[in-house]
Amino acid sequence: MVGQLERFVALSALLTGFREVQLTGTEVAQQHLDTLKAALPGEIVDDLFFAFHRLPAEGREKSAASAILGDPKLGPVAKNIILLWYTGLWNQMPDIWRRANGAATGDVTHLPSGAAYRAGLQWVTAGAHPPGAAHQGFASWTLEPRGRA
């Protein structure tokens, strides 16, 4: 049986465009899942995984765009998951969403950890290092970022 973490990583791979092994390799997948669960009413997380599970294997990317990203309840959550993976930051859900779906105590804009910042997919995408988090060498700022490997 597939566990919640595995479902979260599979959903995240679909949303971010990164492979599951790449997301798992960041070593923040469990932390991101914990952040999500703390920030949302429990049934929202279940609804998200159920919607993901119902997507057809064929054409999953297009189905996700309408079934999840286009959904008024799940779309904002999915967009926040994308931002969480790319920036390491959880953004508080919009007020209109919170009024319609409920609010959890963990739904505040915050950086879950320094590891989340360092593991942000934005750095891989840009071919750069997180400023202030990795020694880059003398005058490294003069070099153009390398392409994504």
Side-chain angles (χ1 to χ4, degrees):
M1 179 173 223
V2 176
Q4 202 172 42
L5 179 60
E6 290 79 13
R7 283 183 290 190
F8 176 69
V9 170
L11 170 64
S12 296
L14 178 66
L15 294 172
T16 65
F18 278 77
R19 294 188 329 262
E20 291 178 39
V21 69
Q22 291 173 295
L23 298 179
T24 302
T26 65
E27 298 183 359
V28 294
Q30 182 65 56
Q31 182 181 70
H32 284 352
L33 176 58
D34 293 343
T35 299
L36 178 73
K37 289 172 22 179
L40 302 173
E43 70 276 0
I44 303 291
V45 176
D46 294 339
D47 292 348
L48 182 65
F49 288 143
F50 183 71
F52 173 65
H53 176 73
R54 289 185 27 217
L55 293 175
E58 196 73 26
R60 191 166 250 195
E61 290 82 11
K62 283 188 178 187
S63 298
S66 60
I68 295 176
L69 290 168
D71 185 90
K73 179 171 70 170
L74 301 178
V77 174
K79 291 171 187 171
N80 251 12
I81 291 171
I82 294 167
L83 288 170
L84 178 62
W85 277 106
Y86 273 86
T87 66
L89 184 72
W90 177 263
N91 292 290
Q92 183 176 26
M93 298 299 293
D95 288 338
I96 193 167
W97 187 95
R98 291 165 57 100
R99 283 192 297 277
N101 300 290
T105 56
D107 185 26
V108 294
T109 298
H110 70 285
L111 181 68
S113 71
Y117 168 74
R118 287 187 302 277
L121 300 178
Q122 65 186 343
W123 310 120
V124 176
T125 302
H129 297 283
H135 181 68
Q136 300 173 32
F138 179 74
S140 62
W141 55 269
T142 64
L143 304 173
E144 289 188 28
R146 286 182 280 156
R148 190 168 147 186

